[in-house]
Amino acid sequence: AREIRIKILDARACPTISNIGIYNAPPILVHPTISRSRKGLVTISVPDAGPEIHFSTDGTPPSKNSQVYEGAFSLPKGGMVKAIAIYDERASEVSSRDFDIATEKWSILANDTNANGAIDGDAETWWATDELVINLNESHDVKGFTYLPTQRRYPTGYIDKYEFYTSMDGKKWNLRSKGEFPNILNSPIKQRVTFPVAKAAYVKVKALNTIDNEPASYAEFGILTR
């Protein structure tokens, strides 16, 4: 603001003013939010416009000497992104996100326009199915997968027991992992499963059981290649 105006609308007697003060509060420093789109574009943000964001992509802790964030940048093959917000020599806590390959080339084998909610990089969107089949559209050395159930207020479709398969042609499938996600109802965080590396151009997840017997919900699904 360049000017201010105080207008007294009502008073029991003639108003008297001895002093008026204006205070410029510094921005509240919170750790940055790091996200990535299907195309592999990484975005880092904080609520206030004042702090300067510094980041790294090699796993090293960021500082005021690290690269300054000036806009979205491409990271399609993944990496560890760490970021910090700095204002007047004050620094926020460090945020970190470990990304694997981007999902831009993937296609979910389903006749449902909402299916991409499971791989769009947005945890607020989701899709439900008891069998998730994805064409990766190229071969990868798959070492595992990640699963995030819907983050809605009321839980639904949290996978309790699962089977995970890989394939090179989408016809012949090999079981790579079978298990369960313990306590997922009380802790619906991203689940991470690893197994011996396998070549795959297609992957499939079968939900053997969910906590409420509803179709399995996927807020985000990813594979591990790094």
Side-chain angles (χ1 to χ4, degrees), residues 133-225:
V133 183
I134 300 176
N135 180 0
L136 305 177
N137 285 301
E138 58 186 352
S139 176
H140 291 286
D141 291 329
V142 180
K143 302 177 181 179
F145 71 93
T146 59
Y147 162 66
L148 180 70
T150 176
Q151 299 297 289
R152 295 174 64 192
R153 180 177 181 181
Y154 300 104
T156 182
Y158 290 4
I159 297 177
D160 179 31
K161 298 180 181 179
Y162 71 88
E163 288 180 345
F164 180 84
Y165 297 81
T166 61
S167 173
M168 287 299 296
D169 58 7
K171 298 177 181 179
K172 182 180 179 181
W173 295 94
N174 296 298
L175 178 64
R176 299 298 179 186
S177 180
K178 181 178 181 178
E180 59 183 276
F181 300 122
N183 200 38
I184 194 170
L185 175 61
N186 298 311
S187 182
I189 61 175
K190 179 184 289 187
Q191 309 294 314
R192 180 184 175 96
V193 177
T194 59
F195 46 77
V197 62
K199 283 281 186 183
Y202 295 79
V203 295
K204 176 168 63 177
V205 182
K206 281 187 177 181
L208 303 181
N209 188 59
T210 62
I211 60 169
D212 55 0
N213 294 319
E214 293 294 326
S217 64
Y218 293 85
E220 286 302 312
F221 172 84
I223 61 173
L224 303 175
T225 63

Side-chain angles (χ1 to χ4, degrees), residues 34 36 75 78-82 96-100 146 190 192 224 226:
I34 305 171
R36 190 181 65 167
L75 198 70
M80 174 65 79
V81 179
K82 293 188 176 183
S96 64
R97 285 287 303 273
D98 190 11
F99 297 106
D100 211 289
T146 59
K190 179 184 289 187
R192 180 184 175 96
L224 303 175
R226 298 170 49 245

Side-chain angles (χ1 to χ4, degrees), residues 1-8 17 19-24:
R2 294 180 180 275
E3 299 177 355
I4 66 166
R5 173 184 294 172
I6 299 176
K7 190 174 183 180
I8 299 173
I17 300 175
N19 184 60
I20 293 177
I22 299 175
Y23 301 90
N24 183 17

Side-chain angles (χ1 to χ4, degrees), residues 34-36 40-44 53-63 65-69 71-84 94-100 226:
I34 305 171
S35 60
R36 190 181 65 167
L41 290 177
V42 176
T43 303
I44 310 175
I53 299 174
H54 296 256
F55 73 98
S56 65
T57 57
D58 58 2
T60 58
S63 67
N65 298 320
S66 301
Q67 185 173 352
V68 177
Y69 175 75
F73 58 92
S74 182
L75 198 70
K77 294 184 179 180
M80 174 65 79
V81 179
K82 293 188 176 183
I84 194 171
V94 176
S95 296
S96 64
R97 285 287 303 273
D98 190 11
F99 297 106
D100 211 289
R226 298 170 49 245

Side-chain angles (χ1 to χ4, degrees), residues 114-140:
N114 296 316
N116 283 338
I119 57 173
D120 61 1
D122 184 356
E124 297 301 316
T125 61
W126 62 288
W127 186 54
T129 180
D130 283 330
E131 186 170 286
L132 176 67
V133 183
I134 300 176
N135 180 0
L136 305 177
N137 285 301
E138 58 186 352
S139 176
H140 291 286

